Amino acid sequence: MIGFKKKKIGLFGGSFDPPHRGHLEISKLAIKELSLDHVYWFITKKNPLKNKPFFSLAERIKKSKFITNKVKKIKIKFFEDTIKSVNTVDLIKYLKTKNKKNTFFLIIGSDNLVSFHKWKKWKLLAELTNIVVFSRKDYDKKAKKSVMMRQVKKITFIKNKQINISSTQIRKKYKKI
């Protein structure tokens, strides 16, 4: 019988509104530092903790595929219609039913670590995945003092160069046009 190889999968979710060089660089660094087989970008219709997206889902998926087209280990995914949920914990549970052998790494910025305790079933989510945190300007000190740091022991911080770009900055430029 042929068995499936255990894979290390990075999960990088968000609205990607729009995707940019920072998302790409973080993904490439995660692949390198964690020896990941793939990084899946899970694009959400709407982040439950944010306002309505600026770009349509179709535009964000198209832009994400374009920006990642030269990095074969990055895959663009959309599962909300399949799993009938926008919550990361439901996505992880779904993925674990598909291949129990895989190890999942949830890739987030230090800004998300600050508010992680507001995510649905965040403690379960931390049990089901390895939390990997990348630096975000002005958030690292807050992240180190977050609820997550007091409650969860398996959090990996990866040092990255500060990338002075954000989706918010890009949207502001579009609004001026």
Side-chain angles (χ1 to χ4, degrees), residues 44-51 80 86-88 118-120:
T44 185
K45 283 182 186 176
K46 182 192 172 304
N47 181 323
L49 301 176
K50 292 185 179 179
N51 295 328
E80 287 178 13
V86 298
N87 296 300
T88 305
K118 296 178 182 177
W119 293 24
K120 181 181 177 188

Side-chain angles (χ1 to χ4, degrees), residues 66-99:
F66 177 79
I67 198 171
T68 62
N69 71 348
K70 291 188 172 126
V71 185
K72 300 299 178 212
K73 287 190 172 193
I74 300 175
K75 309 290 183 195
I76 308 305
K77 303 285 185 181
F78 176 75
F79 274 110
E80 287 178 13
D81 290 344
T82 303
I83 65 170
K84 307 288 188 238
S85 175
V86 298
N87 296 300
T88 305
V89 69
D90 296 326
L91 172 66
I92 302 297
K93 290 192 305 193
Y94 172 80
L95 292 173
K96 284 193 166 281
T97 64
K98 293 296 174 192
N99 191 338

Side-chain angles (χ1 to χ4, degrees), residues 115-132:
S115 61
F116 198 88
H117 64 284
K118 296 178 182 177
W119 293 24
K120 181 181 177 188
K121 296 185 180 178
W122 63 274
K123 287 182 181 178
L124 176 61
L125 185 54
E127 289 175 24
L128 295 174
T129 62
N130 298 285
I131 309 291
V132 179

